[in-house]
Amino acid sequence: ENRPIPEPGPDEVLLRMHSVGICGSDVHYWQHGRIGDFVVKDPMVLGHEASGTVVKVGSGVTHLKPGDRVAIEPGVPREVDEFCKTGRYNLSPTIFFCATPPDDGNLCRYYKHSASYCYKLPDNVTFEEGALIEPLSVGIHACKRAGVTLGSKVFVSGSGPIGLVNVIVAKMMGAAAVVVTDLSASRLQKAKEVGADFTIQVKNETPKEVASKVESVLGCMPEITVECTGVQACIQTGIYATRSGGTLVLVGLGPEMVTVPIVNAAVREVDIRGIFRYCNTWPVAIALLASKRINVKPLVTHRFPLEKALEAFETTKRGEGVKVMLKCDPTDQSP
């Protein structure tokens, strides 16, 4: 609240923030101070799922003007390295990323950001939808890496926000059937709401037993599995469940070392792919939202003003609802 309003550089814009979603990583930094090698050593502003209004533009900015509503891509390359040249800038080792130590996020009233990574929102796309482009981008990137296409049979492991966006995107990309697993009945109900064809509530089954249930409800083994939990048993299930010659994409991040049936995957030519965030997804997401081909509005289940950020974080920590959204602009009267 007491931070000075930043001045944008030549290629930056100053934004009055509007909607910022809370991610599991935000809660993890708040609770544990680190995720893997990323360690919080100094006070850090959280938030990376965001939208806002341009209030000032740098001298070199021509595609945006004050008053424009924008969605913010939080990852900005600091240099044009080999990864930028090949279009995979998310893999650049020096990338700036909101709310990843030591880079500040955008859960604040005013925030400056690279203008090239701020995307103008069409009039029929809301600020909340703009903020949801960030988690939606994970689904777009994962489903692209997985090779989802017309008629694909897809298994999504985990029905949290990232599992749900993968359901939405897989169906959009032509998946004929999507089955989702989770421990929570309420989260599986939400998966049905956003387009899942089948759901399986996991209790105490073994990974092989869960894989067998997936095959049973689909009528075949899925060509594609998108693993969104990072839990060792779920990764094992993903390998056992995926059809020979298929693809398993690891989205969820758990412990650094996990025990998996790697020989099972190897001899059946199951490709195991990772993803790191996303790249080149904002224009795609905006086009899908503007055309109303996808609907992400059901993902937002809780809304809080910025003044109640702690309550919002506590709600997310308890696992209530799906996506908790913070409203940073006190003058905004929209629902």
Side-chain angles (χ1 to χ4, degrees):
E1 284 296 310
N2 298 319
R3 284 152 47 95
I5 296 176
E7 191 67 25
D11 300 320
E12 296 177 325
V13 292
L14 175 65
L15 304 164
R16 185 175 180 85
M17 301 306 298
H18 188 286
S19 296
V20 181
I22 299 177
C23 174
S25 67
D26 292 320
V27 175
H28 201 86
Y29 281 127
W30 169 51
Q31 289 291 299
H32 304 286
R34 70 180 300 155
I35 296 177
D37 294 333
F38 297 109
V39 181
V40 180
K41 296 177 181 176
D42 297 296
M44 182 182 78
V45 178
L46 293 169
H48 59 268
E49 306 176 0
S51 63
T53 303
V54 176
V55 293
K56 200 177 210 179
V57 302
S59 58
V61 178
T62 56
H63 72 289
L64 294 172
K65 64 184 185 304
D68 284 347
R69 302 160 57 254
V70 298
I72 301 167
E73 180 173 0
V76 180
R78 286 187 167 96
E79 57 183 308
V80 181
D81 57 17
E82 59 182 304
F83 299 104
C84 290
K85 290 175 182 176
T86 56
R88 302 181 73 178
Y89 56 88
N90 57 313
L91 301 179
S92 175
T94 60
I95 196 168
F96 166 92
F97 198 89
C98 293
T100 296
D103 303 330
D104 279 331
N106 44 35
L107 182 52
C108 48
R109 299 273 187 224
Y110 290 94
Y111 173 73
K112 70 173 181 177
H113 198 69
S114 167
S116 295
Y117 292 81
C118 292
Y119 300 82
K120 190 172 177 180
L121 292 173
D123 291 341
N124 68 338
V125 177
T126 68
F127 281 114
E128 274 195 0
E129 288 175 302
L132 288 168
I133 291 173
E134 196 279 341
L136 179 61
S137 287
V138 178
I140 294 170
H141 191 56
C143 286
K144 279 184 173 179
R145 292 270 292 156
V148 179
T149 189
L150 288 172
S152 295
K153 304 285 180 64
V154 180
F155 166 32
V156 176
S157 173
S159 190
I162 296 303
L164 295 175
V165 294
N166 274 283
V167 173
I168 291 169
V169 174
K171 294 293 286 188
M172 179 66 232
M173 290 175 70
V178 177
V179 57
V180 184
T181 55
D182 202 277
L183 298 170
S184 164
S186 62
R187 291 207 161 187
L188 289 172
Q189 180 56 41
K190 183 63 76 170
K192 286 286 252 188
E193 284 177 37
V194 301
D197 298 282
F198 307 101
T199 59
I200 298 170
Q201 186 174 5
V202 178
K203 294 187 170 68
N204 51 12
E205 298 92 340
T206 66
K208 282 186 175 179
E209 288 169 343
V210 177
S212 180
K213 285 190 172 185
V214 168
E215 180 179 4
S216 179
V217 298
L218 281 177
C220 62
M221 296 173 78
E223 302 105 326
I224 290 162
T225 297
V226 185
E227 207 301 296
C228 301
T229 72
V231 175
Q232 176 173 285
C234 296
I235 299 171
Q236 293 170 354
T237 298
I239 289 175
Y240 290 132
T242 307
R243 182 184 305 181
S244 296
T247 302
L248 166 63
V249 175
L250 302 178
V251 182
L253 299 177
E256 183 180 2
M257 293 291 180
V258 293
T259 301
V260 294
I262 200 72
V263 173
N264 179 288
V267 299
R268 295 193 303 111
E269 295 191 4
V270 172
D271 292 344
I272 300 175
R273 294 187 154 201
I275 71 157
F276 187 60
R277 299 168 180 158
Y278 33 66
C279 59
N280 306 303
T281 54
W282 258 253
V284 174
I286 289 171
L288 289 172
L289 291 167
S291 65
K292 304 302 177 187
R293 296 298 301 278
I294 61 171
N295 181 17
V296 294
K297 291 178 180 178
L299 298 179
V300 181
T301 54
H302 295 72
R303 296 171 179 86
F304 294 88
L306 184 59
E307 294 80 6
K308 293 186 178 178
L310 184 58
E311 189 178 338
F313 270 77
E314 293 282 5
T315 301
T316 306
K317 180 187 169 188
R318 290 192 298 268
E320 295 178 17
V322 180
K323 178 58 64 177
V324 176
M325 193 70 66
L326 280 154
K327 302 292 188 175
C328 300
D329 186 350
T331 65
D332 176 62
Q333 299 301 312
S334 62

